[in-house]
Amino acid sequence: AQSVTQLDSHVSVSEGTPVLLRCNYSSSYSPSLFWYVQHPNKGLQLLLKYTSAATLVKGINGFEAEFKKSETSFHLTKPSAHMSDAAEYFCVVSGWGGSYIPTFGRGTSLIVHP
Amino acid sequence: SAVISQKPSRDICQRGTSLTIQCQVDSQVTMMFWYRQQPGQSLTLIATANQGSEATYESGFVIDKFPISRPNLTFSTLTVSNMSPEDSSIYLCSALTSGQVEQYFGPGTRLTVT
């Protein structure tokens, strides 16, 4: 079994300040972890992925995430928010337990103020 | 990577009717999935579309309500049958390519049932 918890439903930041979106997971398998972004009325775009290689993963648009097994966390960060970062962000855990099983977090809405 | 298109992009349907959503991938993929995203919610997996055999449905979803076809490695359809207003959602198709663990998503079909 697996699950993912996004700890904040909304995060509000000012443009130019750091972004932190929190994600905790549980998995019975060796997990793969992902962050996807969904802009209003758009499909989902992959930001970054962790697949048991380097624990610090760099993604697109300046985002990165660190896999911490001891804390079962995969938090998403960005040093400086841009207005275009305003969107919904989903943390996803997947693994193989006989079949491929993806599980989505509830989503975190990132609000960026000018 | 894979580029996924869906048709229709949106539709408004009457209660009691059915709608078939098409998903086309630009390359052969190993797995295809159908998700539902209700307004303001995260994604819920409906089923895994299996090529040449019956789809694998998640708990709470049944074949009579959501029949799925996958005749080949690049195409799948989802039918939403006997619709009610509660079926108003965005329906997304996704795919997994060989050797990769991240899903690629279509742009979604926005369904409104009146």
Side-chain angles (χ1 to χ4, degrees):
Chain A
Q2 62 189 24
S3 65
V4 59
T5 302
Q6 291 183 243
L7 295 159
D8 306 294
S9 59
H10 296 85
V11 170
S12 183
V13 301
S14 297
E15 190 174 22
T17 64
V19 175
L20 170 64
L21 305 184
R22 297 182 294 166
C23 174
N24 287 100
Y25 72 93
S26 68
S27 178
S28 303
Y29 323 111
S30 296
S32 296
L33 292 155
F34 312 86
W35 278 97
Y36 285 86
V37 61
Q38 185 178 35
H39 287 92
N41 300 313
K42 300 286 188 182
L44 277 81
Q45 182 183 20
L46 179 69
L47 276 178
L48 49 80
K49 64 180 178 182
Y50 166 78
T51 57
S52 76
T55 56
L56 182 62
V57 181
K58 294 188 184 298
I60 62 172
N61 300 333
F63 285 95
E64 63 181 39
E66 186 171 7
F67 173 72
K68 292 186 177 181
K69 186 174 182 179
S70 61
E71 299 177 11
T72 61
S73 68
F74 190 59
H75 301 335
L76 181 70
T77 60
K78 183 173 180 178
S80 176
H82 192 273
M83 294 297 292
S84 61
D85 294 327
E88 192 79 16
Y89 291 79
F90 294 98
C91 182
V92 181
V93 61
S94 70
W96 292 91
S99 63
Y100 180 82
I101 308 167
T103 302
F104 273 72
R106 64 173 177 170
T108 298
S109 179
L110 177 63
I111 301 160
V112 182
H113 299 285
Chain B
S1 66
V3 177
I4 302 175
S5 59
Q6 286 184 234
K7 289 195 294 187
S9 58
R10 60 179 62 229
D11 207 341
I12 301 173
C13 300
Q14 291 198 341
R15 180 195 300 260
T17 63
S18 298
L19 176 72
T20 295
I21 302 167
Q22 297 180 5
C23 176
Q24 179 72 55
V25 191
D26 69 342
S27 58
Q28 293 186 350
V29 295
T30 54
M31 301 180 77
M32 296 181 74
F33 307 92
W34 286 98
Y35 287 86
R36 181 174 72 184
Q37 185 178 25
Q38 295 181 303
Q41 305 284 323
S42 184
L43 278 73
T44 301
L45 181 63
I46 297 171
T48 302
N50 299 310
Q51 193 256 330
S53 65
E54 192 172 288
T56 304
Y57 290 84
E58 298 299 307
S59 175
F61 297 96
V62 295
I63 187 170
D64 290 346
K65 176 67 176 176
F66 297 102
I68 288 170
S69 77
R70 189 182 171 192
N72 57 49
L73 293 176
T74 63
F75 184 79
S76 177
T77 66
L78 168 74
T79 299
V80 186
S81 303
N82 188 26
M83 288 184 284
S84 68
E86 292 70 34
D87 295 320
S88 296
S89 288
I90 297 172
Y91 291 85
L92 295 113
C93 170
S94 76
L96 195 64
T97 60
S98 177
Q100 294 187 305
V101 296
E102 67 269 30
Q103 297 177 75
Y104 296 91
F105 285 85
T109 296
R110 185 178 297 272
L111 171 62
T112 303
V113 183
T114 60

